[in-house]
Amino acid sequence: MTTISKENYLKLIYNFHARGIAAATSQMAKELNVSNSAISDMAKKLSKEGLIEYEKYKGMKLTRRGELEALKVLRKHRLWEMFLQKALEIPWSKLHDEAERLEHHTSEYLIDKIDSYLGFPRFDPHGHPIPKKDGTIEGADMLIPMLECINGKKYKLKQVDDKDGGLIKYLSDIDLILDTEFEFVDRIQYDNSIKIRYGEKEIILSEKVASNLLVKELTEKGV
């Protein structure tokens, strides 16, 4: 059976709630590729440690202490992604997996040094806000799922789900990277795929791809 660190449980619960998804046992098990019983056992342990509130069949919720622990892990992960991209030029599609390995073996001292070296960035390479040392986290601009875009309007890509390296590689291959401005051309009713136009390209994105992208609507001034 796969062994998952306590930090990954806390981080996943935080990410679920940030996306408005209940941190149910079955959802957690699917995401972490472990059994439901493994999730339940860890939930009981984290509850005893005062990191989560857990009631069987009702899912998990972070306590304030648990939230701060989750934010520490997210801070390390997202700063490592920035460092790997800026300092070592690691490809966009490989950043998440490498940062996932490093986040569990990094001291607060080292991550503070990395933060300072990078100039205290607000967002990681995938558009996710980076928690500050004190546990606060600045919200991003008002973002909407790409699937909710309206025909004829213009948008800017601002956030990408970073867990799937295949998705990131595909976006890189078609030059659809963060801050790309595009026009939403059409929605194809048959399979809910969408057509967008940017630069000299007009492409069709599947519903699966589009569901992992968040965008910001542009005003007439382009902001």
Side-chain angles (χ1 to χ4, degrees):
M1 182 179 69
T2 304
T3 300
I4 307 296
S5 74
K6 177 173 71 175
E7 293 176 329
N8 278 349
Y9 279 93
L10 295 174
K11 185 172 65 172
L12 182 58
I13 295 170
Y14 180 90
N15 283 333
F16 270 143
H17 283 290
R19 288 152 49 196
I21 302 173
T25 299
S26 57
Q27 284 282 77
M28 294 279 291
K30 180 179 179 181
E31 190 79 15
L32 295 173
N33 194 29
V34 298
S35 66
N36 284 8
S37 60
I39 296 294
S40 296
D41 289 344
M42 178 59 81
K44 292 173 185 175
K45 178 180 178 181
L46 296 178
S47 180
K48 287 180 180 179
E49 293 181 17
L51 297 172
I52 69 168
E53 296 174 2
Y54 170 66
E55 190 174 346
K56 196 172 183 181
Y57 305 122
K58 292 189 177 180
M60 290 155 260
K61 181 180 179 182
L62 294 173
T63 62
R64 179 54 182 164
R65 184 170 150 230
E67 182 180 7
L68 289 173
E69 289 297 314
L71 287 168
K72 283 182 182 179
V73 186
L74 284 172
R75 169 177 159 81
K76 291 177 181 179
H77 181 97
R78 293 172 181 177
L79 282 170
W80 267 121
E81 285 194 343
M82 283 298 294
F83 180 82
L84 293 172
Q85 182 189 62
K86 298 294 186 182
L88 302 182
E89 299 182 351
I90 300 297
W92 199 31
S93 61
K94 296 183 180 296
L95 293 173
H96 176 80
D97 289 346
E98 294 299 332
E100 191 76 22
R101 298 182 184 99
L102 291 164
E103 68 188 39
H104 304 297
H105 308 285
T106 306
S107 67
E108 294 296 323
Y109 173 80
L110 178 57
I111 209 64
D112 288 346
K113 286 292 185 182
I114 290 173
D115 195 16
S116 176
Y117 172 83
L118 293 170
F120 306 101
R122 292 180 57 214
F123 298 97
D124 74 9
H126 302 97
H128 300 102
I130 299 174
K132 296 181 179 180
K133 185 177 181 178
D134 63 3
T136 59
I137 187 166
E138 294 184 15
D141 295 321
M142 184 62 67
L143 306 181
I144 63 171
M146 184 179 276
L147 288 172
E148 295 180 9
C149 291
I150 298 172
N151 291 5
K153 291 198 172 185
K154 294 184 178 180
Y155 301 86
K156 181 182 287 188
L157 179 61
K158 296 299 294 183
Q159 193 177 111
V160 178
D161 191 326
D162 62 356
K163 294 188 296 298
D164 188 344
L167 169 65
I168 305 300
K169 184 178 185 307
Y170 171 68
L171 295 175
S172 299
D173 289 343
I174 62 174
D175 294 321
L176 186 57
I177 59 176
L178 283 193
D179 292 323
T180 297
E181 296 184 11
F182 66 91
E183 179 184 352
F184 192 85
V185 179
D186 197 13
R187 186 184 315 278
I188 301 169
Q189 296 298 326
Y190 174 71
D191 58 1
N192 210 32
S193 58
I194 63 173
K195 183 186 293 185
I196 65 172
R197 181 185 299 122
Y198 56 99
E200 298 181 355
K201 298 176 183 284
E202 186 168 284
I203 64 169
I204 293 176
L205 297 176
S206 69
E207 180 180 14
K208 181 178 181 180
V209 169
S211 66
N212 287 295
L213 309 179
L214 294 180
V215 304
K216 178 184 177 182
E217 184 178 350
L218 296 178
T219 64
E220 292 182 1
K221 295 181 180 181
V223 296

